[in-house]
Amino acid sequence: MSNLLSSNIFYNTQHSPLGAFASFTLGFKGSKGGLGLELGKPADQNVFIGVEGDQRGQFGCLPFYESVLDESTRFDIENAGGESNIRLSQIADAQISRTLTPGTDTWAVSTADSQSSAWSFTVHAPVMTAPNPATATDAELKLAYVPALTAELGVDNTGSASPRRVIFGFQNSDIYRQMRLLDDATSEFGTGNSQGIVGIATGDSVGIAARARGGNGAQADGVQIWSAQGFSAEAILSEALPFNRAFGIGSVGLLVAVIPAGAKVTLRFALCFYRGGVVTTGLKARYFYTRYFTDLESVAAYALDNFDALRDRSAAFDGRFAASGLSDTRAFMLSQAVHSYYGSSELLDVELNGKLELMWIVNEGEYRMINTFDLTADQLFFELELNPWTVRNELEWFCRRYSYIDTVRFPGDATEYPGGLTFTHDMGVANHCSPEGRSVYEKAGLHGCFSHMSHEELVNWAMCGLAYEHKTGDSEWLATALPVFQDVLTSMLNRDHPDPAQRDGVMSLDSSRCAGGSEITTYDSLDVSLGQSRNNLYLAVKCWGAYVGMEALFASLGDTERAAICRDQATRCAATVCASANTDGLLPAILHENVPSRIIPAIEGLITPHVLGLTNALSDSGPYGELIKALRRHLSAVLKPGICLFPDGAWKISSTSTNSWLSKVYLCQFIAERVLLEIPLARQETADAAHTAWLLDDRNSYHAWSDQMLDGVARGSKYYPRGVTSILWMT
């Protein structure tokens, strides 16, 4: 492992079930993790994971809690109370190591002497194909979508002549739900409820469970385990009377296990989430998993009964990941990104027209916007790799509910010209589904952030649709989607110029929805170099890629007329871009305007022909060879300190902004290395080390994976799913 990664292992990582919009976040020191449901940030709970040391009654714990005053002072106000965690001590950093993959996160604790116990804690997350509910069996769907994770705590007590206690629990931070036990906890050692389960929970929403007896999730022979609730870990661990373990107003819950002397044991836990009933507004929807599970207890029972199968769900992907040969830094960034993607995933049953319709959602990290389309276009590569049906589902929802017809205008001119079909920026926010044809983000009359992204989302639909059809060969879908492709082409042409003779392949008109403002791109928080849509170099090459892809699609269907139109538009766009280069080979960020900025994402649009296998379009000797050579010259010219490189070698996506987006950097790195064949290994490694350092910086690492880095500090797009563009490194 690189020195960079071994020097800071205390960064938050999200661990999440498929489609549950839930996360067990862990890794940043202090009360900065825990079990969260539908949050745009960590739950900020004390998490207690520890093993009793040689001094009985004292526990060495991973450093994921903070000492606080005993909560009893809220009730017994004349007594001062004391420290709540005095029986706990945090293990020294030097004794802790960490191994992260897309599917597992393991913390290993070494010992300073032969009498102490070495132990480890592992969380398993499901990086797997999300099965299509339209074709999968109930057994497959339950196993994939159960809102639970598995965790293992392994303790080696073979060197001790005494039993040793182990704790795993958390302190409730939800002011609306009370901590409770999942069992009666009335016996000397918890025997569990009717299904042999012991556990702790916050209301009906999140909890940790274990099997006290019986079932496939049972603990090893001789292990005693019970649950307890109290004002503090200290209060629980010093309690002499088993009856008092069910103290119902305490905010701390622990599972306590006793490991026999001389035993080596791996304890099994299920981390469970649940939200029943209608969970949305705007549209009525329930979590898909509620088809199979009625409450938190049913989730826990199933997870423990099927522990081995759940634990092993990521084995296939982790095997591919291990064989991919990624550098340590890229392996880390990909792992972090995959974990954060799943933390934003959500699968709903929507009540629509008297029947249930599936809706696959990827929430936008801290912002929690639903299926933000410009994120969908970047998460495309990951979803096509694992579960292409989710791409179809997203595209269909954009067509059926989140599209509209507009007119277009030249800047400064109120004359309206035909526009056409386009799509909204998103489908809602925080489980509120926006009205038909509307996003929650886009406003009228603006020239920057929060304006409309009509043209970009139009091109995104084309890009995603082309890639889905190429990957799957889904002829049924194509039959229904072909009219949409035809309308997309017409709309793109109208946004170029109303007079066909004056078209140059580049967007020149803004949507009338802007009401005198101007459209923006996904790079909404950057300056004009990437923020403005009209005449933008980034968007121009992205349009070129869409035209190239649609030409191939229409030609394959025998529609020679539309194929010829697409070819003509791609040719015009390529000529426009090439003609804008200066004598140094640099291309302007904004075509036809006096904007001095230079941008790396000029090359981003090359990804569409690449994923479609249109290698001739990307060849120096192909029909667009001059464009490919111009983009290669441009990239070489901008990847220099003071232009589009930070002093440490990190990539700066615009020469006039220090706001650089990691998801887009990963995508452009892939294009530079695999399509343009431009970046030597030493430069790759320098950039990767710098980008890794951003994520590991203590100012950033609380937020798990984050996208927008302003001078290397996460200022936006935190706790974010978009980093799975890095899956391209594995292809």
Side-chain angles (χ1 to χ4, degrees):
M1 180 181 292
S2 69
N3 291 334
L4 178 66
L5 289 166
S6 60
S7 64
N8 183 7
I9 62 172
F10 296 106
Y11 50 84
N12 263 342
T13 297
Q14 293 181 253
H15 307 286
S16 307
L18 276 174
F21 196 10
S23 178
F24 174 59
T25 302
L26 195 71
F28 197 88
K29 285 185 175 182
S31 56
K32 301 299 184 182
L35 294 101
L37 187 59
E38 299 172 351
L39 300 181
K41 57 179 284 297
D44 292 342
Q45 296 169 336
N46 274 333
V47 178
F48 305 104
I49 309 168
V51 175
E52 193 171 23
D54 292 333
Q55 183 180 349
R56 299 306 164 198
Q58 297 297 314
F59 291 76
C61 297
L62 293 174
F64 304 135
Y65 67 93
E66 295 173 356
S67 292
V68 292
L69 289 177
D70 192 300
E71 192 187 18
S72 63
T73 56
R74 288 203 303 122
F75 299 87
D76 189 4
I77 59 176
E78 292 191 11
N79 292 306
E83 287 290 326
S84 64
N85 297 322
I86 59 175
R87 288 180 180 266
L88 312 182
S89 61
Q90 296 189 358
I91 296 166
D93 292 0
Q95 290 180 254
I96 305 172
S97 61
R98 184 180 188 182
T99 304
L100 179 72
T101 73
T104 63
D105 193 4
T106 298
W107 299 83
V109 176
S110 62
T111 58
D113 58 73
S114 60
Q115 293 188 341
S116 300
S117 292
W119 58 279
S120 65
F121 178 76
T122 300
V123 185
H124 305 275
V127 187
M128 58 177 290
T129 294
N132 186 346
T135 57
T137 66
D138 285 341
E140 291 169 333
L141 295 171
K142 286 184 73 173
L143 189 67
Y145 295 111
V146 56
L149 305 167
T150 56
E152 295 177 303
L153 204 162
V155 182
D156 184 353
N157 199 33
T158 54
S160 175
S162 302
R164 202 178 293 272
R165 286 180 291 175
V166 173
I167 60 171
F168 180 27
F170 65 98
Q171 185 163 14
N172 177 35
S173 60
D174 187 338
I175 62 173
Y176 300 106
R177 290 175 175 82
Q178 177 62 28
M179 178 69 77
R180 68 183 177 96
L181 302 184
L182 291 177
D183 57 281
D184 58 26
T186 57
S187 61
E188 183 180 2
F189 299 113
T191 56
N193 55 24
S194 61
Q195 301 184 76
I197 293 173
V198 292
I200 54 175
T202 297
D204 59 355
S205 58
V206 302
I208 304 173
R211 188 78 75 185
R213 55 180 172 78
N216 295 331
Q219 308 301 339
D221 290 342
V223 173
Q224 304 161 349
I225 187 165
W226 68 88
S227 60
Q229 183 178 346
F231 279 137
S232 65
E234 161 68 17
I236 292 171
L237 294 171
S238 60
E239 181 58 67
L241 301 175
F243 182 87
N244 292 339
R245 292 173 187 158
F247 183 61
I249 59 175
S251 66
V252 175
L254 294 181
L255 286 169
V256 184
V258 179
I259 309 301
K264 185 175 183 180
V265 171
T266 298
L267 302 172
R268 295 176 157 197
F269 301 97
L271 292 83
C272 306
F273 307 85
Y274 194 84
R275 181 142 296 170
V278 173
V279 297
T280 55
T281 54
L283 290 171
K284 286 187 176 181
R286 294 169 170 81
Y287 279 103
F288 176 80
Y289 59 70
T290 60
R291 290 189 186 185
Y292 303 105
F293 304 101
T294 57
D295 52 27
L296 201 63
E297 284 84 349
S298 65
V299 171
Y302 177 86
L304 293 169
D305 282 344
N306 296 273
F307 190 95
D308 290 344
L310 293 176
R311 178 194 58 201
D312 296 340
R313 287 179 295 179
S314 296
F317 188 89
D318 267 1
R320 288 179 51 201
F321 171 77
S324 65
L326 293 179
S327 65
D328 287 346
T329 50
R330 288 198 171 180
F332 162 74
M333 289 188 283
L334 172 60
S335 297
Q336 275 288 79
V338 169
H339 281 278
S340 285
Y341 169 87
Y342 282 119
S344 284
S345 70
E346 184 172 1
L347 182 59
L348 298 179
D349 270 332
V350 180
E351 297 178 22
L352 197 66
N353 300 322
K355 62 179 183 178
L356 292 180
E357 301 279 355
L358 291 165
M359 178 182 274
W360 176 261
I361 290 171
V362 181
N363 294 281
E364 194 183 345
E366 65 167 323
Y367 308 131
R368 297 192 294 169
M369 280 183 278
I370 298 170
N371 283 343
T372 301
F373 205 171
D374 35 309
L375 269 72
T376 301
D378 287 329
Q379 292 150 191
L380 169 74
F381 317 109
F382 184 78
E383 292 181 355
L384 286 180
E385 189 71 21
L386 274 82
N387 29 261
W389 75 268
T390 61
V391 177
R392 172 175 172 169
N393 184 269
E394 291 158 330
L395 292 173
E396 289 176 340
W397 275 102
F398 273 109
C399 286
R400 72 193 300 181
R401 185 175 172 90
Y402 296 104
S403 59
Y404 57 92
I405 304 294
D406 65 357
T407 56
V408 293
R409 302 175 182 177
F410 284 107
D413 186 346
T415 306
E416 295 192 4
Y417 300 92
L421 175 70
T422 189
F423 304 91
T424 62
H425 167 270
D426 59 72
M427 300 182 186
V429 64
N431 274 8
H432 168 67
C433 301
S434 56
E436 291 189 51
R438 292 289 301 271
S439 72
V440 296
Y441 171 98
E442 292 162 309
K443 297 174 67 176
L446 300 179
H447 293 279
C449 204
F450 310 118
S451 186
H452 282 72
M453 297 186 190
S454 307
H455 196 93
E456 170 129 37
E457 310 305 12
L458 177 68
V459 176
N460 283 338
W461 197 97
M463 172 186 171
C464 293
L466 289 165
Y468 172 78
E469 191 280 332
H470 176 75
K471 178 74 173 182
T472 66
D474 187 342
S475 57
E476 177 192 23
W477 174 80
L478 182 59
T480 62
L482 184 57
V484 183
F485 279 112
Q486 295 168 349
D487 290 344
V488 164
L489 174 58
T490 299
S491 191
M492 288 180 66
L493 295 173
N494 289 340
R495 293 162 204 276
D496 182 337
H497 201 285
D499 179 2
Q502 298 188 57
R503 290 172 182 157
D504 61 1
V506 178
M507 173 199 167
S508 300
L509 297 92
D510 293 299
S511 173
S512 56
R513 282 203 171 190
C514 293
S518 54
E519 288 184 37
I520 58 173
T521 75
T522 183
Y523 295 100
D524 52 2
S525 60
L526 270 80
D527 61 20
V528 68
S529 64
L530 278 166
Q532 175 183 305
S533 287
R534 188 181 350 98
N535 294 325
N536 190 286
L537 174 63
Y538 147 74
L539 192 53
V541 180
K542 196 168 179 176
C543 289
W544 170 85
Y547 283 129
V548 169
M550 286 194 292
E551 178 195 353
L553 176 67
F554 288 128
S556 71
L557 298 172
D559 189 342
T560 56
E561 181 180 355
R562 286 189 176 86
I565 292 172
C566 291
R567 182 168 60 254
D568 180 60
Q569 282 295 104
T571 300
R572 290 174 186 241
C573 183
T576 300
V577 171
C578 290
S580 70
N582 68 12
T583 55
D584 295 326
L586 288 164
L587 300 168
I590 304 295
L591 305 171
H592 317 308
E593 300 181 29
N594 187 26
V595 174
S597 306
R598 311 297 179 184
I599 58 172
I600 291 175
I603 67 173
E604 195 175 313
L606 300 181
I607 195 63
T608 298
H610 175 79
V611 299
L612 299 178
L614 301 174
T615 54
N616 192 44
L618 299 169
S619 170
D620 287 1
S621 57
Y624 308 105
E626 292 307 310
L627 174 66
I628 303 306
K629 288 185 281 190
L631 291 172
R632 186 180 291 112
R633 286 193 297 268
H634 170 80
L635 181 66
S636 180
V638 300
L639 281 179
K640 294 177 181 176
I643 304 179
C644 288
L645 283 184
F646 287 98
D648 60 0
W651 283 26
K652 190 168 177 273
I653 56 177
S654 171
S655 64
T656 51
S657 175
T658 59
N659 184 359
S660 206
W661 296 16
L662 279 175
S663 64
K664 294 296 195 176
V665 167
Y666 299 162
L667 175 56
C668 289
Q669 282 183 306
F670 175 81
I671 295 166
E673 296 163 16
R674 305 287 185 89
V675 179
L676 296 177
L677 307 175
E678 181 63 22
I679 310 300
L681 180 61
R683 181 177 287 186
Q684 292 175 29
E685 292 174 341
T686 298
D688 291 340
H691 302 145
T692 297
W694 286 353
L695 291 172
L696 291 177
D697 189 301
D698 286 343
R699 295 169 294 180
N700 305 329
S701 55
Y702 163 74
H703 307 288
W705 193 92
S706 297
D707 205 1
Q708 292 193 51
M709 299 288 184
L710 188 66
D711 289 309
V713 179
R715 298 297 189 192
S717 304
K718 303 165 187 173
Y719 217 55
Y720 217 58
R722 197 177 197 167
V724 287
T725 50
S726 54
I727 191 65
L728 290 165
W729 292 335
M730 283 180 59
T731 59

